[in-house]
Amino acid sequence: MLVTDYLKSARETISKLAEQREVITRTGSTIAERASNGSRVFVMDRSEIILQELVNHPQGLMLFHSFIQRGDDMSAGDVFILGTIGDNDEEDAKLVTAARDAGAYIVVIGPPGELASMADQALVNAADPVSGILTLTGMEQKFGPVSGVTNAALAWCLAAETVSAFLKANETPAINYGEYIVDGTTKYNEQRRLFLSRGY
Amino acid sequence: MNSAASSSRGAIERGPVVDMQSRREFMHMISWSALLGMGAMNLSCSEETVSYSENLDSRYLETLVDIIDSVIEQESDKIDTAAGYAVQAKLQGRKLYALMNGGMLPSELLRTRPGNLDIFLFDNIQRASRDDVVVTNEPYAARGLAERLVRVIGISRPDILNKQTPTGALDHMGTFRIEDVTDLVIYSHVPYTDGVVNVEGIDVPLFAVSGIMQALIFHSLSASIAEKSAEYGIFYPVAS
């Protein structure tokens, strides 16, 4: 049945992300190094998938900024993480070009293609970006996308290796404690003060 | 206290309760509970260092895959049942509503998102009426629907009590549970912390899976509805 077909396919696609561990680790190290040197880390995703997963998410990191909300121009040395489910969107390409012109380090999380080739580091989502993975007799188009969940998994892997890099340098980045957990609000406030004092 | 202070770690003797001179002395005292792990924790606390943690990304992926396997094993039949309810409602001319909030969900489940089936009304679910079906992870928004004989299918989330929430973990959040307002709950098997990787020196598991798991469940439910509907010659448009 399609329930298990879909879940098993998604499982396999997500499992294969482990093949990119080297790239993820390298990218996480770069982010940690730059953040600890005062650079900012911006996240942009016009489909909002990795934006909502990385920025202000419980049990995530405070160092990820939403590019839209921030409103600031990027500076040389900043990190710009673009999430995309398309491979060559014109608007995304303009954003990457602007970020590059500002001297930012570009990370793209998305399918292989033009946008990935513009990045300093690409975390590649091999899922079909447009039409999903399921077919049904009587329907011409595929449906049941996995690109979004795969992008999200890549984003969290990147957060994980960023934390790993910080810990290796004997630092701990500020954690975005979920306020719904016991003492979450108190811990969130403590971490927020820490974050505001040093930027990560 | 002097006996505690002068004893070596792991050989602290019982003694009278005395005023603690310092946090270090207090930790030495309680580690006499004699579990080897307690002694190791005392060491890490007294040294006040954060240990390096490796392979966090692979631990995240492995845990995520395990959770997906749990859903496949334990929730597939319920997803199929829920799809059956939805199809029956449509055959009777009723409506299907959905309200899914949190993280990536509102964007990932948009009707216009490429690959998504146009099945549900992402409208105010309080507009649902008798024999309509509502799929939601927001049980507070679903209050009162059961009384109107709306069939409510819940998808569990970590920050709202459900029967899988460990006792006491979310006591401060009240007693309202998703089961209180739903006919059927599809459990996402996400721990109440949402984060799933224990990192040395950090007191909460990090790196969330709730958005991913709830999206997977919703997409698989949509797929099942499409599959069952096709048997009746009903086909849903796909966003491209």
Side-chain angles (χ1 to χ4, degrees):
Chain A
M1 55 184 186
L2 288 188
V3 171
T4 46
D5 288 349
Y6 176 78
L7 290 173
K8 286 178 179 174
S9 287
R11 180 202 187 281
E12 290 314 305
T13 303
I14 287 171
S15 295
K16 285 182 182 168
L17 296 179
E19 294 168 7
Q20 298 189 60
R21 285 206 56 224
E22 193 180 322
V23 172
I24 295 170
T25 301
R26 190 163 60 237
T27 311
S29 294
T30 302
I31 291 174
E33 183 186 348
R34 288 179 181 238
S36 56
N37 287 334
S39 295
R40 295 165 298 172
V41 184
F42 293 99
V43 180
M44 175 62 186
D45 184 347
R46 289 187 307 106
S47 61
E48 295 208 10
I49 292 169
I50 71 161
L51 189 71
Q52 297 297 337
E53 290 293 299
L54 285 183
V55 179
N56 295 330
H57 197 292
Q59 281 63 273
L61 304 181
M62 287 190 173
L63 64 83
F64 295 112
H65 298 281
S66 163
F67 180 66
I68 296 171
Q69 291 172 357
R70 181 81 183 183
D72 293 344
D73 291 333
M74 272 178 283
S75 305
D78 285 344
V79 179
F80 179 70
I81 302 172
L82 175 78
T84 176
I85 56 174
D87 60 349
N88 62 356
D89 186 274
E90 197 177 307
E91 290 302 314
D92 285 342
K94 286 181 187 173
L95 287 169
V96 170
T97 303
R100 181 172 300 292
D101 290 345
Y105 182 85
I106 313 292
V107 178
V108 170
I109 298 177
E114 186 183 323
L115 285 168
S117 67
M118 294 172 74
D120 292 299
Q121 207 63 261
L123 306 188
V124 174
N125 173 353
D128 188 328
V130 176
S131 57
I133 59 173
L134 300 175
T135 56
L136 197 54
T137 305
M139 289 179 69
E140 290 180 2
Q141 269 183 278
K142 285 186 179 180
F143 56 95
V146 293
S147 51
V149 294
T150 311
N151 271 10
L154 277 169
W156 281 112
C157 286
L158 181 60
E161 285 303 295
T162 302
V163 169
S164 188
F166 271 111
L167 294 177
K168 192 176 179 183
N170 239 13
E171 298 248 39
T172 308
I175 304 301
N176 204 36
Y177 279 85
E179 294 180 61
Y180 70 91
I181 62 174
V182 176
D183 294 332
T185 303
T186 302
K187 291 177 182 179
Y188 174 88
N189 290 337
E190 286 169 358
Q191 293 291 296
R192 191 73 187 163
R193 279 191 284 272
L194 181 66
F195 169 72
L196 290 172
S197 70
R198 64 180 192 185
Y200 63 90
Chain B
M1 194 67 255
N2 289 336
S3 65
S6 61
S7 296
S8 62
R9 199 177 307 112
I12 297 173
E13 298 172 359
R14 291 174 189 254
V17 175
V18 296
D19 291 337
M20 294 296 117
Q21 299 269 333
S22 68
R23 179 171 175 270
R24 177 187 285 272
E25 288 170 347
F26 173 71
M27 290 306 298
H28 278 283
M29 184 74 157
I30 66 170
S31 68
W32 171 235
S33 305
L35 296 172
L36 211 58
M38 289 295 290
M41 186 185 82
N42 176 47
L43 172 62
S44 69
C45 286
S46 61
E47 291 178 348
E48 294 181 351
T49 58
V50 172
S51 302
Y52 173 56
S53 288
E54 295 184 320
N55 302 324
L56 297 182
D57 59 342
S58 57
R59 285 163 55 193
Y60 174 79
L61 286 176
E62 285 163 9
T63 308
L64 176 56
V65 166
D66 284 346
I67 294 174
I68 295 173
D69 285 339
S70 294
V71 168
I72 291 172
E73 186 182 333
Q74 299 178 44
E75 308 299 322
S76 292
D77 287 346
K78 274 192 272 178
I79 296 171
D80 190 62
T81 298
Y85 292 155
V87 171
Q88 281 304 310
K90 284 298 282 188
L91 290 173
Q92 291 165 6
R94 307 311 306 170
K95 293 179 182 174
L96 306 182
Y97 291 84
L99 173 62
M100 296 288 292
N101 282 334
M104 61 185 280
L105 293 172
S107 309
E108 171 68 4
L109 305 182
L110 274 177
R111 294 164 70 182
T112 52
R113 189 246 196 264
N116 277 359
L117 291 155
D118 189 4
I119 294 176
F120 293 96
L121 294 169
F122 286 90
D123 199 354
N124 180 0
I125 61 173
Q126 285 295 328
R127 291 188 178 176
S129 57
R130 180 177 178 147
D131 294 333
D132 288 343
V133 170
V134 168
V135 177
T136 186
N137 68 348
E138 289 275 17
Y140 286 97
R143 285 180 295 184
L145 293 180
E147 285 83 345
R148 302 208 297 267
L149 302 180
V150 173
R151 196 186 291 272
V152 182
I153 296 162
I155 297 177
S156 75
R157 50 190 280 182
D159 57 338
I160 293 182
L161 275 171
N162 61 76
K163 75 172 187 186
Q164 292 191 345
T165 307
T167 305
L170 294 181
D171 275 356
H172 57 294
M173 300 290 284
T175 58
F176 180 75
R177 302 187 323 167
I178 191 171
E179 289 87 356
D180 294 338
V181 293
T182 51
D183 294 284
L184 180 146
V185 176
I186 302 166
Y187 294 97
S188 58
H189 293 249
V190 174
Y192 79 95
T193 53
D194 205 350
V196 294
V197 178
N198 287 311
V199 180
E200 290 179 74
I202 298 175
D203 64 354
V204 67
L206 300 182
F207 320 129
V209 294
S210 60
I212 294 170
M213 289 312 304
Q214 291 174 80
L216 288 175
I217 289 170
F218 193 91
H219 284 317
S220 64
L221 173 61
S222 298
S224 185
I225 292 171
E227 184 178 32
K228 290 178 184 302
S229 298
E231 295 171 16
Y232 296 92
I234 299 170
F235 297 95
Y236 290 96
V238 180
S240 57

PDB file of all heavy atoms in Angstrom, chain A residues 17 32 36 69 82 109 113 154 178-179 191 196 199:
ATOM      1  N   LEU A  17      21.646  10.107   3.226  1.00  0.00           N
ATOM      2  CA  LEU A  17      22.291  11.384   3.538  1.00  0.00           C
ATOM      3  C   LEU A  17      23.598  11.158   4.293  1.00  0.00           C
ATOM      4  O   LEU A  17      24.483  12.028   4.304  1.00  0.00           O
ATOM      5  CB  LEU A  17      21.358  12.270   4.364  1.00  0.00           C
ATOM      6  CG  LEU A  17      20.075  12.702   3.657  1.00  0.00           C
ATOM      7  CD1 LEU A  17      19.229  13.563   4.591  1.00  0.00           C
ATOM      8  CD2 LEU A  17      20.366  13.458   2.375  1.00  0.00           C
ATOM      9  N   ALA A  32      31.020  27.064  12.487  1.00  0.00           N
ATOM     10  CA  ALA A  32      31.425  27.275  13.876  1.00  0.00           C
ATOM     11  C   ALA A  32      32.608  28.233  13.968  1.00  0.00           C
ATOM     12  O   ALA A  32      32.635  29.144  14.812  1.00  0.00           O
ATOM     13  CB  ALA A  32      31.778  25.935  14.530  1.00  0.00           C
ATOM     14  N   SER A  36      32.295  31.923  15.704  1.00  0.00           N
ATOM     15  CA  SER A  36      33.084  32.246  16.895  1.00  0.00           C
ATOM     16  C   SER A  36      34.023  33.417  16.645  1.00  0.00           C
ATOM     17  O   SER A  36      34.524  34.028  17.587  1.00  0.00           O
ATOM     18  CB  SER A  36      33.861  31.017  17.393  1.00  0.00           C
ATOM     19  OG  SER A  36      34.672  30.511  16.386  1.00  0.00           O
ATOM     20  N   GLN A  69      14.004  38.426   8.092  1.00  0.00           N
ATOM     21  CA  GLN A  69      13.655  39.200   9.277  1.00  0.00           C
ATOM     22  C   GLN A  69      14.785  40.115   9.689  1.00  0.00           C
ATOM     23  O   GLN A  69      14.566  41.190  10.216  1.00  0.00           O
ATOM     24  CB  GLN A  69      13.306  38.268  10.432  1.00  0.00           C
ATOM     25  CG  GLN A  69      12.009  37.524  10.225  1.00  0.00           C
ATOM     26  CD  GLN A  69      11.777  36.467  11.280  1.00  0.00           C
ATOM     27  OE1 GLN A  69      12.615  36.260  12.143  1.00  0.00           O
ATOM     28  NE2 GLN A  69      10.661  35.797  11.209  1.00  0.00           N
ATOM     29  N   LEU A  82      21.282  28.803   1.966  1.00  0.00           N
ATOM     30  CA  LEU A  82      20.070  28.849   1.149  1.00  0.00           C
ATOM     31  C   LEU A  82      19.453  27.455   1.079  1.00  0.00           C
ATOM     32  O   LEU A  82      20.122  26.495   0.708  1.00  0.00           O
ATOM     33  CB  LEU A  82      20.387  29.332  -0.271  1.00  0.00           C
ATOM     34  CG  LEU A  82      19.195  29.303  -1.231  1.00  0.00           C
ATOM     35  CD1 LEU A  82      18.271  30.489  -0.967  1.00  0.00           C
ATOM     36  CD2 LEU A  82      19.665  29.310  -2.689  1.00  0.00           C
ATOM     37  N   ILE A 109      21.482  24.087   0.413  1.00  0.00           N
ATOM     38  CA  ILE A 109      20.874  22.795   0.758  1.00  0.00           C
ATOM     39  C   ILE A 109      19.736  22.586  -0.229  1.00  0.00           C
ATOM     40  O   ILE A 109      18.736  23.319  -0.216  1.00  0.00           O
ATOM     41  CB  ILE A 109      20.328  22.792   2.205  1.00  0.00           C
ATOM     42  CG1 ILE A 109      21.458  23.014   3.198  1.00  0.00           C
ATOM     43  CG2 ILE A 109      19.607  21.473   2.503  1.00  0.00           C
ATOM     44  CD1 ILE A 109      21.005  23.101   4.648  1.00  0.00           C
ATOM     45  N   GLY A 113      22.400  20.876  -9.206  1.00  0.00           N
ATOM     46  CA  GLY A 113      22.018  21.744 -10.320  1.00  0.00           C
ATOM     47  C   GLY A 113      22.723  23.073 -10.242  1.00  0.00           C
ATOM     48  O   GLY A 113      23.764  23.217  -9.582  1.00  0.00           O
ATOM     49  N   LEU A 154      18.888  17.325   6.296  1.00  0.00           N
ATOM     50  CA  LEU A 154      20.221  17.856   6.010  1.00  0.00           C
ATOM     51  C   LEU A 154      20.514  19.073   6.883  1.00  0.00           C
ATOM     52  O   LEU A 154      21.632  19.238   7.386  1.00  0.00           O
ATOM     53  CB  LEU A 154      20.333  18.254   4.534  1.00  0.00           C
ATOM     54  CG  LEU A 154      20.660  17.137   3.539  1.00  0.00           C
ATOM     55  CD1 LEU A 154      20.461  17.623   2.107  1.00  0.00           C
ATOM     56  CD2 LEU A 154      22.079  16.630   3.741  1.00  0.00           C
ATOM     57  N   GLY A 178      13.368  24.833  24.165  1.00  0.00           N
ATOM     58  CA  GLY A 178      11.926  24.943  23.995  1.00  0.00           C
ATOM     59  C   GLY A 178      11.294  25.387  25.299  1.00  0.00           C
ATOM     60  O   GLY A 178      11.570  24.817  26.357  1.00  0.00           O
ATOM     61  N   GLU A 179      10.470  26.407  25.234  1.00  0.00           N
ATOM     62  CA  GLU A 179       9.914  26.950  26.465  1.00  0.00           C
ATOM     63  C   GLU A 179       8.855  26.044  27.059  1.00  0.00           C
ATOM     64  O   GLU A 179       8.413  26.266  28.188  1.00  0.00           O
ATOM     65  CB  GLU A 179       9.375  28.358  26.199  1.00  0.00           C
ATOM     66  CG  GLU A 179      10.501  29.322  25.846  1.00  0.00           C
ATOM     67  CD  GLU A 179      10.051  30.742  25.572  1.00  0.00           C
ATOM     68  OE1 GLU A 179       9.484  31.375  26.472  1.00  0.00           O
ATOM     69  OE2 GLU A 179      10.271  31.216  24.441  1.00  0.00           O
ATOM     70  N   GLN A 191      20.342  31.360  27.950  1.00  0.00           N
ATOM     71  CA  GLN A 191      21.058  31.148  26.694  1.00  0.00           C
ATOM     72  C   GLN A 191      20.966  32.386  25.805  1.00  0.00           C
ATOM     73  O   GLN A 191      21.912  32.713  25.076  1.00  0.00           O
ATOM     74  CB  GLN A 191      20.479  29.930  25.968  1.00  0.00           C
ATOM     75  CG  GLN A 191      20.715  28.611  26.679  1.00  0.00           C
ATOM     76  CD  GLN A 191      22.176  28.208  26.662  1.00  0.00           C
ATOM     77  OE1 GLN A 191      22.759  27.955  25.610  1.00  0.00           O
ATOM     78  NE2 GLN A 191      22.784  28.134  27.839  1.00  0.00           N
ATOM     79  N   LEU A 196      23.480  36.894  23.060  1.00  0.00           N
ATOM     80  CA  LEU A 196      23.568  38.332  22.767  1.00  0.00           C
ATOM     81  C   LEU A 196      24.932  38.895  23.147  1.00  0.00           C
ATOM     82  O   LEU A 196      25.415  39.865  22.545  1.00  0.00           O
ATOM     83  CB  LEU A 196      22.460  39.086  23.496  1.00  0.00           C
ATOM     84  CG  LEU A 196      21.033  38.828  22.964  1.00  0.00           C
ATOM     85  CD1 LEU A 196      19.991  39.470  23.868  1.00  0.00           C
ATOM     86  CD2 LEU A 196      20.890  39.357  21.545  1.00  0.00           C
ATOM     87  N   GLY A 199      27.297  36.403  20.273  1.00  0.00           N
ATOM     88  CA  GLY A 199      26.879  36.183  18.882  1.00  0.00           C
ATOM     89  C   GLY A 199      26.698  34.742  18.484  1.00  0.00           C
ATOM     90  O   GLY A 199      26.278  34.427  17.374  1.00  0.00           O
TER      91      GLY A 199
END
